[in-house]
Amino acid sequence: MLGCDGESRSRVRYKLTIVTGLLECLCFAGVVFGWASLVFVLKTDGYFSDLCVNVTTANGTTDNDCSAQDERLSVIFTVASFMNNFLTFPNGFLFDLYGTMATRLLAILLYTTGTLLVAFSSKALSLILFPALSFIAVGGILLLLTNMQVGNLCGTHRSTIITLYNGAFDSSSAIFLIIKVLYEKGISLQTSFLFLSACGIIHLLRTLFLLPKSHIPYSIPESYTYGVSCRKSKSYNVEQNELKQESTPDSERQGMSRDCEPIRTEVSPQMEDVLNRDSSFKNCVLSWIFVWHLIWLSVMQLRNYLFIGTLNPMLNRLANQDPATVSHYTNAFAFTQLTGFLCAPWNGFLMDRHKGKALKPGETEKEADLRSSILSLFFTSLQCLLFSVCTTIPVLPLQYATFVLQVLNRSFLFGGNAAFISIAFPAKHFGKLFGLVMSLSAVVLLLQYPCLALVKSFGGDPFYVNLILTILILLAFVHPLNVFFHCRNLAAQRGNTQSMLHADSSRRESTL
């Protein structure tokens, strides 16, 4: 990988960490979002089939009404997606306080427990799916959380790696498609989930050998090592490393490479107090940038999750209950999810496009990164609006376009969310802020319940709910505007400061 720092022996470990992290996110972390494929298998195996009832239609024929079964299965995904987000806040504290190893051990325990519960579930034990899917969801997001710091190993490609991992997280939903295809070939649901449980050994080995016990700092100090090795690993205080970086004069910072060589500037006690006060967790949470970022994420996440949770009944409605057509479109949706990790780096390239270029006079790396994120935030909002419009139009062939826009939007949304938090706020609060924004957005996800009830009150027609959500998405466009004005204010302040310094310098020269 270009831009990776470290000695020759460490570089091999860095590359192994990056590649295996990508595979972990791609094959395990976000499998729960392939729910539409798993639902097809669960319904075939008769999960919650006791909720189906025979009804007499207007023309006197008897039909099997399974709307209650669809609703129960949608609730399972709603609960799992809520837990996936809501518990990220306490888990973020765990990550910031106790480090990578403790967090990953919890993730492996939850994930393996969830897959074992699904493996030993049955038609008679359908309710086991509620805790099982929640454990898989929470364990998966923890695997992603501990992997996103791997982007710190690659200075100029930091945002690209973070968005790539989030795209792989989205694409891992295709694992449930593979399970569906194997099921149709005769491989049981139990066998597939027992295999996923056995893969916990791989996660454990990677935790011990390819990840640090604490955290990966940004930027990477000299001779940085991690994982179990013959020589002792060097540990670094993330907060102190960041304080040194922020206190480095602009002239020194611009003289460094964009990969950020180790910074040796000493931090005075007075400077440290100022930086600690300005970058406190409370100030970050109360800032308008955080508030609008939360709204930006919440409205688009609600749109995405509601679409996934109701995809199966929506396809049944548009396909007039034809199982073959529903299976075809379900497969098409799942296949598009595979492209998520290919779409996500585009967002990273947008955010890293300024790397390697000279900073503006007086501009810091953080300000340049923030300014570069505006275009990414706008494109993500636009994608979601177009995706929601396509969803609202009840035309079955149009759903191919919906699938493409949805996977593109999800890749940009979740990758951009993590990358923006790493850019806009101090690294020492990353776990807490990432967890908090996910937890608060999970509260917004509870609106799925009234949305589902509203769809039911309209006889299963989601048109009006989709229309309301499309209008709600317009709020997301405020966030890039807010960041744009914030960056413009910072530029104006720099200009005023430089003018004052120039005037003061001229005054001194005239006095002499």
Side-chain angles (χ1 to χ4, degrees), residues 138-385:
V138 175
I141 196 69
L142 281 175
L143 291 177
L144 175 65
L145 177 63
T146 56
N147 274 311
M148 283 190 292
Q149 62 181 326
V150 173
N152 293 346
L153 296 174
C154 296
T156 55
H157 302 290
R158 184 191 187 195
S159 296
T160 303
I161 294 296
I162 292 174
T163 54
L164 179 62
Y165 277 18
N166 277 269
F169 175 83
D170 291 337
S171 292
S172 65
S173 59
I175 295 300
F176 279 177
L177 169 65
I178 295 173
I179 290 175
K180 173 181 177 290
V181 172
L182 292 175
Y183 177 83
E184 292 172 338
K185 298 293 183 180
I187 306 298
S188 68
L189 188 68
Q190 183 183 50
T191 302
S192 296
F193 274 87
L194 284 176
F195 176 78
L196 289 178
S197 302
C199 289
I201 298 173
I202 300 174
H203 306 317
L204 185 61
L205 291 174
R206 188 166 178 273
T207 301
L208 295 175
F209 293 98
L210 292 176
L211 284 168
K213 183 177 180 181
S214 54
H215 302 90
I216 299 175
Y218 181 73
S219 298
I220 301 300
E222 284 183 310
S223 304
Y224 175 68
T225 59
Y226 57 86
V228 176
S229 60
C230 296
R231 56 178 178 168
K232 186 177 179 181
S233 299
K234 292 189 177 184
S235 61
Y236 293 87
N237 185 295
V238 173
E239 184 173 346
Q240 288 297 323
N241 196 61
E242 190 171 61
L243 284 172
K244 288 180 180 181
Q245 205 174 157
E246 291 185 9
S247 62
T248 304
D250 291 337
S251 57
E252 291 184 31
R253 184 183 289 109
Q254 291 200 39
M256 299 175 184
S257 71
R258 300 291 284 207
D259 285 339
C260 299
E261 294 297 324
I263 298 168
R264 301 180 179 82
T265 306
E266 294 298 324
V267 184
S268 67
Q270 294 83 358
M271 176 65 75
E272 187 170 341
D273 289 340
V274 171
L275 291 173
N276 278 327
R277 184 172 61 253
D278 291 343
S279 62
S280 69
F281 179 67
K282 180 181 177 181
N283 284 347
C284 291
V285 173
L286 295 179
S287 67
W288 278 112
I289 286 195
F290 180 84
V291 172
W292 278 112
H293 184 70
L294 173 63
I295 295 172
W296 177 85
L297 175 67
S298 297
V299 295
M300 288 191 283
Q301 187 174 241
L302 176 62
R303 170 68 278 184
N304 275 272
Y305 280 21
L306 191 63
F307 174 76
I308 295 171
T310 60
L311 179 60
N312 187 265
M314 182 196 78
L315 291 177
N316 273 293
R317 180 182 178 85
L318 295 178
N320 296 319
Q321 308 298 324
D322 179 22
T325 304
V326 172
S327 179
H328 170 76
Y329 275 89
T330 301
N331 289 347
F333 172 73
F335 275 119
T336 58
Q337 302 305 297
L338 281 169
T339 63
F341 79 102
L342 298 175
C343 301
W346 302 349
N347 197 13
F349 295 147
L350 273 179
M351 303 182 88
D352 286 336
R353 68 188 187 279
H354 67 291
K355 300 287 189 180
K357 298 178 182 178
L359 297 174
K360 294 180 179 179
E363 187 179 44
T364 64
E365 286 276 352
K366 180 177 177 179
E367 289 176 41
D369 289 343
L370 197 60
R371 176 169 48 81
S372 187
S373 70
I374 296 172
L375 192 58
S376 166
L377 298 173
F378 173 77
F379 272 144
T380 306
S381 305
L382 183 61
Q383 290 161 4
C384 192
L385 181 63

Side-chain angles (χ1 to χ4, degrees), residues 13-49:
R13 178 167 293 190
Y14 287 3
K15 291 178 181 180
L16 279 174
T17 300
I18 293 167
V19 172
T20 56
L22 178 63
L23 291 175
E24 186 173 78
C25 291
L26 183 60
C27 298
F28 303 99
V31 295
V32 71
F33 297 105
W35 177 245
S37 298
L38 187 63
V39 164
F40 190 89
V41 176
L42 295 174
K43 292 175 74 171
T44 305
D45 270 354
Y47 284 73
F48 298 111
S49 59

Side-chain angles (χ1 to χ4, degrees), residues 391-455:
T391 306
T392 305
I393 301 172
V395 177
L396 189 58
L398 184 62
Q399 301 316 306
Y400 289 121
T402 303
F403 298 160
V404 172
L405 287 167
Q406 191 270 341
V407 72
L408 186 64
N409 181 238
R410 271 188 64 197
S411 300
F412 270 61
L413 177 63
F414 293 109
N417 168 50
F420 183 81
I421 291 174
S422 71
I423 287 170
F425 304 104
K428 62 183 176 181
H429 299 314
F430 176 78
K432 295 186 287 292
L433 289 171
F434 180 79
L436 181 61
V437 78
M438 296 297 283
S439 296
L440 292 177
S441 66
V443 176
V444 179
L445 285 180
L446 292 176
L447 290 174
Q448 289 180 89
Y449 289 105
C451 286
L452 290 172
L454 200 57
V455 169

Side-chain angles (χ1 to χ4, degrees), residues 42-104:
L42 295 174
K43 292 175 74 171
T44 305
D45 270 354
Y47 284 73
F48 298 111
S49 59
D50 56 305
L51 297 176
C52 294
V53 294
N54 291 323
V55 294
T56 303
T57 61
N59 57 9
T61 60
T62 302
D63 194 12
N64 196 28
D65 181 12
C66 290
S67 58
Q69 180 192 32
D70 289 333
E71 185 178 349
R72 181 65 59 84
L73 290 168
S74 293
V75 169
I76 290 175
F77 177 77
T78 300
V79 171
S81 60
F82 172 79
M83 298 299 289
N84 172 76
N85 285 20
F86 187 74
L87 292 182
T88 309
F89 183 41
N91 289 332
F93 266 101
L94 174 69
F95 176 62
D96 282 347
L97 291 175
Y98 298 105
T100 304
M101 182 174 289
T103 307
R104 284 183 62 84

